[in-house]
Amino acid sequence: MSGFQRFGYGAAVLLLASSAFHLLVYAVDGGGWDGPVSWRKPILFGFAFGVTLISLVWIAARSGLGRRQGGWLVGALSVASVLETGLIDLQRWRGVPSHLNFGTPFDAAVSAALAVVAIVGLIPAIVVVTVLAWRRFDGAPSMRLAVRSGLAVLLLTLVSGAALIANGRAIGLPPQARDLSIFGVAGQLKVPHAVTLHAVQVLPVLAGVLALSAWSEVVRVRLVAVAALGYGGVVLVSVLQAAAGLAPADLTVVSGVVLVVSVAALAGAGVAAVGRLSRRRVVAAVRVAWARLSGVPAGVRGLPRRSHR
């Protein structure tokens, strides 16, 4: 494992630990889950940034980056992710909203810093990782399709995030006065923002499970394509609901049908992957993982053996 990978994964572990810590705080302290000032934001932002950073570091490491290039790219992603989450955590502990909060000079500075970190650190780095993966990601065809599809959906997260900010500025009220993520009567812009964030985990994980199955690579590619279309359908429904000013659960007939078909496609691909797992492939993967973690390049011999003495 390269130095930039260790740095990136370390930052991701820190973010996930922050999420777990704030979940414990929420369990003890209680309070509402919704609203601009709640423990929900440190919990969800820490988790989302953590798992997304793990995905992006893994993809970057398999996209032909040199040590210096990887250091700059992963360093920017990691520092920006930690800063963004840290500022959100800070504002929650201060008991004030983190985004679009201009109540005091300090709060305005934090809101501006969140925007600058996203624009200067996160967005360019995500775009670079996406371009690199489309050009030279090293993996089987099914994994390449999963990674590229996941990153394409991740780019929509940047668009939905900008829509959230623009909607809040258009409303023009303090975040304490109204939920600035609501579009129209009840459209929830947070939903497409969240859904588009996690395709880059779901689809590569599915491709990884398929790699351990008895399916041929041709079938694996088809199953990943079905899952990607299904995920795209879920994204489409979340966008349509928000754009129409409808609550996520207030489905129209069209949205309901698209959602059912999309979820069925995703679930079907997952069931097909798990249903034909190959014991031999799974055992081999465990042995390779153990060898990498332990530093013993001996395959089966790298696994610990029970002593009979």
Side-chain angles (χ1 to χ4, degrees), residues 5 13 47 55-56 68 77 93 95 125 130 151 153 179 205-206 215 219 234 239 245 281 304:
Q5 286 177 276
V13 169
F47 176 79
S55 301
L56 294 176
R68 178 173 296 182
L77 277 169
W93 282 97
T130 302
L151 287 170
V153 176
D179 187 347
V205 166
L206 172 64
W215 294 112
V219 175
V234 175
V239 171
R281 290 177 181 270

Side-chain angles (χ1 to χ4, degrees), residues 234-281:
V234 175
V235 171
L236 177 62
V237 170
S238 69
V239 171
L240 290 176
Q241 290 294 112
L246 299 173
D250 187 15
L251 296 169
T252 65
V253 174
V254 174
S255 294
V257 171
V258 173
L259 183 62
V260 169
V261 172
S262 300
V263 171
L266 265 172
V271 170
V274 174
R276 293 205 63 188
L277 278 175
S278 165
R279 182 178 180 277
R280 177 179 60 82
R281 290 177 181 270

Side-chain angles (χ1 to χ4, degrees), residues 12-59:
V13 169
L14 177 64
L15 292 167
L16 293 174
S18 171
S19 175
F21 169 73
H22 285 100
L23 181 60
L24 179 62
V25 172
Y26 174 65
V28 174
D29 184 62
W33 180 256
D34 295 321
V37 183
S38 72
W39 295 115
R40 166 186 57 85
K41 296 186 78 171
I43 294 168
L44 295 185
F45 274 85
F47 176 79
F49 271 108
V51 296
T52 301
L53 183 56
I54 289 173
S55 301
L56 294 176
V57 172
W58 179 77
I59 293 169

Side-chain angles (χ1 to χ4, degrees), residues 53-86:
L53 183 56
I54 289 173
S55 301
L56 294 176
V57 172
W58 179 77
I59 293 169
R62 301 186 66 171
S63 298
L65 284 174
R67 182 174 299 179
R68 178 173 296 182
Q69 293 172 315
W72 280 105
L73 181 58
V74 172
L77 277 169
S78 303
V79 172
S81 297
V82 171
L83 282 175
E84 195 86 0
T85 306

